[in-house]
Amino acid sequence: MKKQLKTAGIVLMACLFILPAAAFARGGKDGFRPERGMKMTMQQPQAPENNLTPEQISRIEALHKKFRDENADTLKQLMTKKFDMNLALDTETPDIAKAKTIQKDISSLEAKLAQKHLDLYAELLKIDPKAKFHGRMDKGPRMMGMKGM
């Protein structure tokens, strides 16, 4: 009886470790397939197409370029402040007071950028009233149906 119980325990443990690993490695219907190499074939949702004229597209691209150029310094300052915050906190004795001061600076820079994003969105709406704001503050508003924006 002990031998059967021990064997059943070993089989159970093997199942607990091997089956999840095998299921994960297989990748399912659209996951990793060795015959296709490392290529993943996930389907991305298609955005509805906007019927924008080439002139409207060029105006939108110009607005995005202007936004990036005008805010490059602010983005650089923001990145530097975040790096400084990590340095202040990643020590054996973190300087919380300094981190709080840096966080206030980060918050003010993020608020400034958020305001600029809204201004950009207002300008985009003048060009295309059907534009959708997706709330992405990392790279700016997205225009539905426009690739590469």
Side-chain angles (χ1 to χ4, degrees):
M1 180 73 175
K2 278 187 172 183
K3 188 175 182 181
Q4 290 174 343
L5 199 58
K6 190 185 262 187
T7 306
I10 291 172
V11 170
L12 179 64
M13 291 300 287
C15 289
L16 286 176
F17 289 111
I18 294 172
L19 290 178
F24 179 75
R26 184 151 189 246
K29 181 180 177 190
D30 290 320
F32 173 77
R33 301 274 188 187
E35 65 268 15
R36 287 190 260 162
M38 295 297 288
K39 185 178 179 183
M40 297 292 285
T41 58
M42 300 278 185
Q43 294 291 325
Q44 293 186 356
Q46 296 294 319
E49 291 293 324
N50 275 344
N51 295 323
L52 298 176
T53 65
E55 177 197 346
Q56 288 174 315
I57 292 172
S58 65
R59 286 175 48 201
I60 289 170
E61 289 172 351
L63 280 173
H64 280 282
K65 184 179 183 331
K66 179 182 170 192
F67 176 82
R68 285 189 304 270
D69 292 344
E70 288 177 355
N71 296 301
D73 291 334
T74 306
L75 289 169
K76 192 180 294 183
Q77 289 173 356
L78 184 62
M79 189 169 46
T80 303
K81 292 287 182 185
K82 287 182 178 183
F83 181 74
D84 291 343
M85 173 108 104
N86 286 339
L87 285 178
L89 293 175
D90 288 343
T91 60
E92 288 186 24
T93 56
D95 189 355
I96 301 300
K98 183 177 179 181
K100 286 182 179 181
T101 305
I102 294 172
Q103 181 57 50
K104 286 181 185 177
D105 294 340
I106 289 172
S107 296
S108 67
L109 288 171
E110 286 176 340
K112 182 179 174 182
L113 276 175
Q115 198 63 45
K116 299 272 183 139
H117 274 109
L118 288 176
D119 294 339
L120 172 65
Y121 182 59
E123 292 296 317
L124 292 174
L125 281 176
K126 291 177 186 175
I127 297 170
D128 181 17
K130 295 178 185 176
K132 301 284 188 228
F133 182 72
H134 293 281
R136 291 187 50 155
M137 296 314 232
D138 57 346
K139 295 181 183 175
R142 301 287 189 248
M143 301 293 291
M144 294 294 289
M146 293 194 62
K147 295 175 177 75
M149 288 271 163

